[in-house]
Amino acid sequence: MASLTYEGCNFFRQRLVLATLSGKRVKIRNIRSRDDNPGLRDFEASFIRLLDKVTNGTRIEINQTGTVLFYQPGLLYGGAVEHECCAQRSIGYYLEALIMLAPFMKNSLRAILKGVTNDPVDPSVDLIKATAVPLMKTFGIDGEGLEIKVVRRGMAPGGGGEVHFSCPVRRTIKPVQLTDPGKIKRIRGTAYPSPIPLRSPMPAPCAAHHVFLTPRVRYSVRVSPQMANRIVDSARSILNQFIPDIYIYTDHMKGASSGKSPGFGLTLVAETVNGTFLSAELASTPQGQGHPVLPEELGKSCAKLLLEEVYRGGSVDSTNQSLALLFMTLGQQDVSKTLLGPLSPYTIEFLRHIRDFFQIMFKIEPQKPEDEQKGGEKVLMTCVGVGFANINKTLK
C-alpha cells in the first residue's frame, strides 16, 4: 500500500489523526529542515507518544535529525491512558485530537492529561468542554460516559493542570442537518484567576535590626477573587447592551489546584435557541513573555471577540469547524448539511486532507444573509458520508 507524502511541519495533527482513522500510512519530510533547530519539536514528539498510547501496533520511524517521520497507524485501542503533555502547548492541543479519535476505539477512552490547561495559543479545556461536547452529542456520540473534567488548572508556562476526559465508543456516526443556527438566547462564561505575583512596593524593614531587606516576588495561592470580578464586570459592560441573560462563573481554585504559574483568563459561550454554541476566549500573557494585560482589557476584548463570532455565525463556531466536517465525512452513507461561518485557513487545509485520506469532496455553497441583522456571509457545506464503521465494536 502506497503511503501519502507531505512536506513540512504544518497541520501535523491533521495528518496523523486522519491517517489513524483511515488506516493509511503517511510520510512527512523536510520538517523544519532549514531551521536553526531542525526536526520535530518536543510537543510534536509528545503528541506522537500519545497516539502510540491509544493505539495498538502503530509503527513510527523518525530519522536522526527528526526531519523525516514515517507513521503507520495501528488499531485504535483506547482504555485507561495517562499522558504528561508538553508545556510548550496546552492540553487543548492534545484533547482536540483525542475527541476526533475517541468514538472509534475498541474500549471506551478514559484519559488523564497533565500540563497547561489555559494558554493564549490553543483552545482551552473550558472552551472545548462548552462547545465540542454538545457538538458530539448532535452526531449521536452521547451517554453518561462523555465527560471533560478540569481537576486542576495550570497556566502557561509552568502548567501543573490536570484534565480527565472520558468518551463512549460508537459503531457509526449519524448524519446531521444543521442549517438553522437560530437566535442567541443566553451567554455563559468562566473567569479563572490563578496565583499572581505580589510585589512589595518598597523594601520591608526588619524589625529586629532596622535593616532593609530586598523585596522578593512571592506567589500568592489565595488570590483575591477581585481579579475575576474585574474581568466579569468589564465583559458584562459590553454584553449587557445586547442580551440580559448573562451569567459568568468565577472558577477560583486554591492551593495545588491552581497550578504552578500565575495568570487569568475568560471563556465566553453564546447559546442559540436551536442548541448551537458559539465561543470566544482570551488568556493573559504567560509570565515573563510579552506585555502584561489588565483584567479589564481582557474582559472587554473577549466580549468583542464573542460578538465577532456571533456575527460570523453558523451552526458550528470557528474552533470546531474541522470536528464537524470530520464527523460529517465519517457519517453513514447519507447526506449531511451544516451551515458554517467563513472557513478558517485551518479548516480549508483540513478539507484538502479529507480529500486525500477519504476521497470525500464537499459541496460548498456561499450563503448571503437576507439582511444585515443575520450577520456575515456563510457557507453551506454538504457531503455524503463514507459510511465509516468502528470495526472494533461488535453489534449487540
Side-chain angles (χ1 to χ4, degrees), residues 56-349:
N56 192 1
T58 296
R59 194 167 129 238
I60 300 153
E61 293 174 11
I62 302 169
N63 72 344
Q64 209 166 1
T65 54
T67 54
V68 179
L69 165 75
F70 175 76
Y71 179 81
Q72 183 176 329
L75 293 173
L76 284 161
Y77 188 76
V81 172
E82 189 170 321
H83 187 66
E84 189 74 45
C85 302
C86 177
Q88 290 173 354
R89 301 296 289 261
S90 83
I91 290 174
Y93 175 84
Y94 303 88
L95 190 56
E96 277 188 311
L98 279 187
I99 283 175
M100 290 178 169
L101 298 171
F104 311 105
M105 296 193 175
K106 184 175 183 179
N107 303 304
S108 298
L109 181 68
R110 300 182 307 284
I112 298 173
L113 302 173
K114 296 178 179 178
V116 175
T117 56
N118 304 84
D119 74 356
V121 181
D122 296 300
S124 71
V125 180
D126 304 276
L127 185 126
I128 292 170
K129 181 180 178 179
T131 57
V133 170
L135 182 64
M136 291 173 79
K137 289 178 178 175
T138 308
F139 283 91
I141 306 160
D142 50 11
E144 289 180 11
L146 183 60
E147 187 189 20
I148 296 174
K149 187 179 177 185
V150 182
V151 179
R152 287 204 296 269
R153 209 171 271 290
M155 301 292 290
E162 184 177 318
V163 174
H164 293 188
F165 170 55
S166 59
C167 179
V169 289
R170 287 287 173 270
R171 182 163 175 79
T172 53
I173 298 285
K174 69 176 190 185
V176 295
Q177 303 285 322
L178 303 173
T179 53
D180 182 16
K183 292 188 175 180
I184 306 294
K185 67 174 178 180
R186 62 171 166 234
I187 293 173
R188 296 289 179 263
T190 307
Y192 46 88
S194 273
I196 56 170
L198 297 179
R199 288 184 184 271
S200 311
M202 284 184 62
C206 176
H209 304 288
H210 300 287
V211 177
F212 279 86
L213 303 175
T214 52
R216 289 186 303 166
V217 176
R218 75 179 190 278
Y219 291 105
S220 160
V221 172
R222 295 173 184 81
V223 183
S224 163
Q226 203 57 41
M227 185 69 79
N229 296 342
R230 285 163 64 186
I231 298 170
V232 172
D233 290 345
S234 60
R236 289 189 72 111
S237 69
I238 288 178
L239 297 175
N240 273 338
Q241 299 170 41
F242 300 96
I243 195 167
D245 189 357
I246 300 168
Y247 184 79
I248 302 173
Y249 165 71
T250 54
D251 184 15
H252 184 68
M253 289 191 168
K254 296 180 180 179
S257 301
S258 58
K260 299 174 183 176
S261 291
F264 51 86
L266 175 65
T267 303
L268 293 172
V269 179
E271 185 183 349
T272 72
V273 289
N274 292 347
T276 292
F277 292 84
L278 304 170
S279 62
E281 69 171 350
L282 273 180
S284 59
T285 316
Q287 185 196 9
Q289 299 174 22
H291 296 288
V293 61
L294 285 171
E296 287 80 7
E297 288 174 13
L298 184 134
K300 283 185 177 175
S301 300
C302 191
K304 287 173 184 173
L305 283 175
L306 182 69
L307 295 177
E308 198 177 309
E309 189 66 49
V310 170
Y311 177 78
R312 283 200 291 263
S315 296
V316 180
D317 69 338
S318 48
T319 311
N320 292 295
Q321 285 178 351
S322 52
L323 180 64
L325 294 174
L326 176 70
F327 286 157
M328 286 169 71
T329 303
L330 300 178
Q332 294 167 21
Q333 290 181 323
D334 202 348
V335 176
S336 283
K337 288 186 179 185
T338 300
L339 187 71
L340 299 178
L343 299 179
S344 67
Y346 186 85
T347 306
I348 292 165
E349 199 61 39

Side-chain angles (χ1 to χ4, degrees), residues 363-379:
K363 183 181 178 187
I364 303 173
E365 299 171 87
Q367 306 278 307
K368 289 209 171 182
E370 295 149 18
D371 58 76
E372 283 187 4
Q373 290 187 335
K374 294 277 186 184
E377 285 192 16
K378 298 181 178 48
V379 186

